[in-house]
Amino acid sequence: MANWRQQLILRFQERDSNEVQKYKDIILQNNRLMDNVAQLKADKLRISVENEQLRSAVANNTGPAGNLAFLTLEKKLLSQQEELTELHKRKGENSQRIVDLNIRIEELNAQMNDKDRQLAQEKRSNASFRAEIKMYVSSMDELKRLNTTLKDEHTALQLAFSSLEEKLRSVQEENYNLLERLKDYKSRDADKLNEENESFLRKRLPSFFHRKRSDKVRRELEDAVRETSRNSSSPISSEAIDCTNGIDISGIDCDLHIPPMSMNPTNMYAKFEAHEGEVSAVRWCPTEKIIATGGADRKLKLWDVRKRSPEQLAVLTGCSQGINSIDFDSTGTYVIGTSNDKGVRVWTVADHRLRHTLTGHIEKVMAAKYLHEPYKIISGSHDRTLKVWDVRSSACIETKFVGSSCFDLVTTDSIGASIISAHFDKKIRFWDIRMEKPINDLLLPNKITSLDLSKDCNFLLCSVRDDTIKLLDLRMNNILRTFSHENFKLSCDSARVGFNFDATRIASGSADGSIYIWNTLNGRHEELLKGHSP
């Protein structure tokens, strides 16, 4: 009880001392003025009494002495009145000074309060900055430890890479020896076939059996030539096959049939408004004359293009943002669409119904393909992952962490055991679906925007952001040709490129709205199709 009372007394005393100190000089001066006023009032009263006494004395004594005393008192009264007037004047001035000083004190108090608030804010800011500095120091220490760990991992990876390079050189040497042996075996098989042919000719077989045997020999020779020319630098040979090839097969019809080259399109077949806004994806159905288009209006549309004025068959909805890519399954039964809304959707072509919505990516999905039709789908996203989906349960069953945004992907066989993906970090990655890490990768000069695979899965086409197109031989894992043109410019990171049906031509769209066509046999630019606006 005594503590809080004592505390209150101390606080009151402190308050009184703080408040009295500010007005101490004013109060003292005011007290002095009040004392002077009281003194003057006493003097006035005394003088008044004396005046009355003098008046009564003058009334009783009207002589010269009385008049002199009266005049003296009158002068003294006047001087006292003047002094009183001066004191009143000084009192008014002092009162005005007190008012001015009170106003000044209030202004100073307001300024002091503002300074106190600013000081409190600066203290809070200082504390916040100290906490941030502490956090940044902690982050820097963590990054230093992480950098040390990454350097150790990099050193280990370099050692592993050197070991793998040595293994690769030995495997390549072994592969070269095997190819040489294979060529030798094929040459022996050709000699044997020639001997059998001569034997049949000597026996003069009937023409039917003669033609049948000739076809078999021709096929064997064709296979032998194809196998022994695997190291050629062109994906499809433009030269006629030499039927003799150093082998005597006289008397046999060896005029091998080379299919005619595909012709380049020159005229626009049809033009129609497909979407409200940009068209970002187009795909042919593999079994019907149907194309699927996707655009920024969040719709995937199916079109019948058997006539020059295409007819809209269906509008497939379900996406909440623009479409990025489209793909059909091999039977044309299902169509897949990927979207900026981070989802993959599957529709049936026949009844146009949305069958599956696959969600799990945290960024926009750029591409999706079937793996084991129609049960599994693989998708690539900007979130730097590839995801494998079980369509039957609409669930993600595997996630492959790549470390770089995926722009496109293809599968290299019907069962989807091998996958090729294109990425922002300028690498093409090769995957075995049964393994967590890529089995190989290939570094290109710039980021890769799209991929396309030839039908025999031997050649890979990729568009690169340095405005070139690369043709890769997957059997030798090297670049066969680079296609470019002085006016050819890729418009965006999702620009596409594709083979024709026999892989003798490639086509890609440019930022100027034109379609450029090159010949894969000689690398020449052959055609420029115009019709789109830039």
Side-chain angles (χ1 to χ4, degrees), residues 169-372:
R169 283 192 291 270
S170 63
V171 169
Q172 286 177 340
E173 184 178 356
E174 183 180 356
N175 184 42
Y176 177 78
N177 294 332
L178 290 173
L179 285 174
E180 292 297 325
R181 291 173 61 188
L182 181 61
K183 289 179 183 179
D184 185 49
Y185 290 150
K186 292 297 181 181
S187 177
R188 294 178 185 177
D189 290 341
D191 292 339
K192 186 176 180 180
L193 288 174
N194 282 334
E195 293 175 359
E196 292 179 357
N197 180 51
E198 290 178 357
S199 176
F200 276 112
L201 288 177
R202 282 194 298 268
K203 293 180 181 179
R204 296 185 178 182
L205 292 174
S207 60
F208 172 78
F209 296 102
H210 175 72
R211 286 195 302 271
K212 184 176 180 181
R213 187 62 179 175
S214 298
D215 291 340
K216 182 177 180 181
V217 171
R218 185 166 58 251
R219 285 195 300 272
E220 294 290 339
L221 286 174
E222 201 173 339
D223 292 340
V225 171
R226 188 179 296 110
E227 290 295 332
T228 55
S229 62
R230 291 181 64 182
N231 293 329
S232 65
S233 62
S234 174
I236 301 175
S237 176
S238 61
E239 300 176 354
I241 299 177
D242 184 3
C243 295
T244 58
N245 196 21
I247 304 172
D248 183 11
I249 50 173
S250 59
I252 297 180
D253 182 12
C254 61
D255 185 15
L256 301 181
H257 175 67
I258 305 297
M261 295 294 181
S262 60
M263 302 298 294
N264 291 328
T266 56
N267 298 320
M268 185 186 300
Y269 176 78
K271 183 177 181 179
F272 58 96
E273 296 293 331
H275 293 272
E276 299 174 1
E278 295 181 352
V279 179
S280 54
V282 179
R283 181 69 66 176
W284 282 94
C285 177
T287 57
E288 302 288 342
K289 288 188 176 181
I290 296 174
I291 62 172
T293 62
D297 58 0
R298 309 187 301 267
K299 298 174 183 177
L300 193 152
K301 298 183 179 182
L302 300 178
W303 304 85
D304 185 349
V305 292
R306 288 176 290 186
K307 300 179 182 179
R308 282 191 174 271
S309 55
E311 177 184 355
Q312 181 176 298
L313 297 178
V315 178
L316 309 181
T317 60
C319 296
S320 59
Q321 294 187 31
I323 306 292
N324 285 326
S325 71
I326 300 171
D327 196 38
F328 287 90
D329 70 328
S330 61
T331 63
T333 305
Y334 298 96
V335 59
I336 310 173
T338 66
S339 172
N340 286 332
D341 63 5
K342 311 170 188 177
V344 180
R345 290 169 177 84
V346 181
W347 294 267
T348 45
V349 176
D351 58 8
H352 316 143
R353 291 179 59 187
L354 177 61
R355 295 293 181 177
H356 306 284
T357 299
L358 312 177
T359 58
H361 286 289
I362 59 176
E363 293 290 344
K364 60 183 179 180
V365 186
M366 298 300 297
K369 302 286 183 181
Y370 271 103
L371 282 177
H372 299 281

Side-chain angles (χ1 to χ4, degrees), residues 455-507:
K455 289 186 177 181
D456 58 5
C457 298
N458 289 334
F459 302 99
L460 179 68
L461 197 63
C462 53
S463 56
V464 188
R465 206 63 173 92
D466 62 356
D467 300 324
T468 63
I469 297 173
K470 309 288 185 184
L471 180 63
L472 280 66
D473 186 345
L474 297 181
R475 298 167 299 181
M476 305 302 294
N477 198 28
N478 60 1
I479 299 175
L480 294 181
R481 293 190 188 278
T482 298
F483 304 92
S484 62
H485 191 274
E486 59 182 2
N487 297 324
F488 176 72
K489 304 291 182 184
L490 292 177
S491 60
C492 60
D493 289 344
S494 58
R496 303 299 182 186
V497 66
F499 282 110
N500 68 340
F501 71 96
D502 60 358
T504 58
R505 305 289 192 279
I506 63 170

Side-chain angles (χ1 to χ4, degrees), residues 26-43 84 87-88 90-92 94-95 98:
I26 299 173
I27 292 170
L28 292 175
Q29 190 172 4
N30 187 56
N31 290 336
R32 286 196 296 271
L33 290 174
M34 295 300 291
D35 292 340
N36 291 333
V37 169
Q39 182 65 35
L40 289 173
K41 284 182 179 181
D43 292 341
L84 180 63
L87 289 174
H88 280 296
R90 289 176 61 187
K91 180 181 177 183
N94 289 331
S95 297
I98 290 172

